[in-house]
Amino acid sequence: MAVEVCVKAAVGAPDTLGDCPFSQRVLLTLEEKKVTYEMKLVDLSNKPEWFLKISPEGKVPVFNSGDGKWIADSDVITQVIEEKFPTPSLVTPPEYASVGSKVFPSFVKFLKSKDASDGSEKALLDELQALDEHLKAHGPYINGENVSAADLSLGPKLFHLQVALEHFKGWKIPENLTSVHAYTKALFSRESFVKTKPAKEHLIAGWAPKVNA
């Protein structure tokens, strides 16, 4: 049986890859390991019966490594891919595994914030500053010269941050965070990333209801 992965389809375009950073993380892991896989797009606004059978909670991504067993949660899925397809290794050393892990929740809070004095912008800047300092000392990637699992988790989230904050708030990552800028440029230009990223308009459409709530 083939390796299969169910991912989010674009909002309003069910035949196009959507804007789920957790789905992209799994696709990036498969691409970086050169694993042949079959991608199934799921319209989350109209979940098909076959999908709810394999993902009763209706969540993406779900993954089947070829044995017919479907598993959920991008943390678990990427671990299974690493064990089943160990080459090239994408293991991030434990001491670096959580680098940048608070960037995404800080971004979401700032994106949804309607109050300029609530501290959400500063909280995000602090996280980006910490990431910049780590990359300055250990870069170009989180674990040095080679891409690893932590980058494939953080990269899609930084893409969301960059596109959504510029669109909804006219906000950009400060120029003085040069290592973060070099990092996003390197990650976003990788062949695996170009192939698996959502179109900007679909990413914006995905966030619009949450921002305007």
Side-chain angles (χ1 to χ4, degrees), residues 21 25 38 45 48 60 69 84 88 102 106 117 121 124 129 134 154 163 168 174 180 187 190 194-195 202 205 209:
R25 174 191 184 185
E38 190 184 321
S45 64
V60 289
K69 279 192 204 126
K84 186 150 184 167
K102 292 188 184 142
S106 304
S117 63
E121 181 178 9
L124 174 59
Q129 183 74 49
H134 175 88
L154 184 56
V163 174
F168 291 105
V180 172
L187 268 179
R190 288 181 81 84
V194 174
K195 191 173 170 184
H202 293 139

Side-chain angles (χ1 to χ4, degrees), residues 99-117:
V99 170
S101 63
K102 292 188 184 142
V103 168
F104 192 66
S106 304
F107 145 66
V108 174
K109 197 168 178 194
F110 175 47
L111 178 66
K112 291 178 173 179
S113 165
K114 307 270 195 284
D115 174 6
S117 63

Side-chain angles (χ1 to χ4, degrees), residues 1-204:
M1 280 177 75
V3 170
E4 299 171 292
V5 59
C6 298
V7 297
K8 179 184 176 183
V11 174
D15 300 328
T16 307
L17 178 60
D19 65 317
C20 166
F22 305 99
S23 294
Q24 191 189 3
R25 174 191 184 185
V26 172
L27 297 177
L28 281 170
T29 306
L30 292 166
E31 289 288 341
E32 289 288 343
K33 288 184 175 288
K34 304 276 188 268
V35 176
T36 306
Y37 62 93
E38 190 184 321
M39 181 172 74
K40 296 176 182 293
L41 298 173
V42 180
D43 178 356
L44 295 181
S45 64
N46 182 21
K47 295 167 186 168
E49 203 53 46
W50 64 262
F51 171 65
L52 291 169
K53 280 198 179 105
I54 58 176
S55 178
E57 289 185 9
K59 289 184 176 169
V60 289
V62 282
F63 174 82
N64 162 19
S65 65
D67 58 6
K69 279 192 204 126
W70 288 94
I71 51 171
D73 188 327
S74 63
D75 284 336
V76 179
I77 295 169
T78 48
Q79 192 62 47
V80 168
I81 296 170
E82 188 60 52
E83 285 161 14
K84 186 150 184 167
F85 306 100
T87 327
S89 169
L90 293 173
V91 175
T92 305
E95 64 271 25
Y96 293 164
S98 65
V99 170
S101 63
K102 292 188 184 142
V103 168
F104 192 66
S106 304
F107 145 66
V108 174
K109 197 168 178 194
F110 175 47
L111 178 66
K112 291 178 173 179
S113 165
K114 307 270 195 284
D115 174 6
S117 63
D118 66 1
S120 59
E121 181 178 9
K122 184 179 184 308
L124 174 59
L125 282 169
D126 288 349
E127 292 304 327
L128 290 170
Q129 183 74 49
L131 174 62
D132 196 75
E133 282 162 18
H134 175 88
L135 293 168
K136 245 188 203 75
H138 305 284
Y141 294 108
I142 286 174
N143 187 34
E145 288 302 317
N146 297 317
V147 116
S148 73
D151 304 300
L152 304 185
S153 174
L154 184 56
K157 295 167 183 172
L158 285 171
F159 187 69
H160 276 249
L161 180 157
Q162 207 179 63
V163 174
L165 286 178
E166 185 168 353
H167 178 82
F168 291 105
K169 285 190 181 276
W171 192 94
K172 291 183 178 177
I173 296 172
E175 287 303 319
N176 65 338
L177 300 180
T178 51
S179 296
V180 172
H181 279 281
Y183 178 68
T184 56
K185 199 172 171 190
L187 268 179
F188 299 170
S189 62
R190 288 181 81 84
E191 188 187 342
S192 61
F193 203 95
V194 174
K195 191 173 170 184
T196 59
K197 71 177 181 180
K200 287 185 178 179
E201 63 269 25
H202 293 139
L203 191 157
I204 289 162

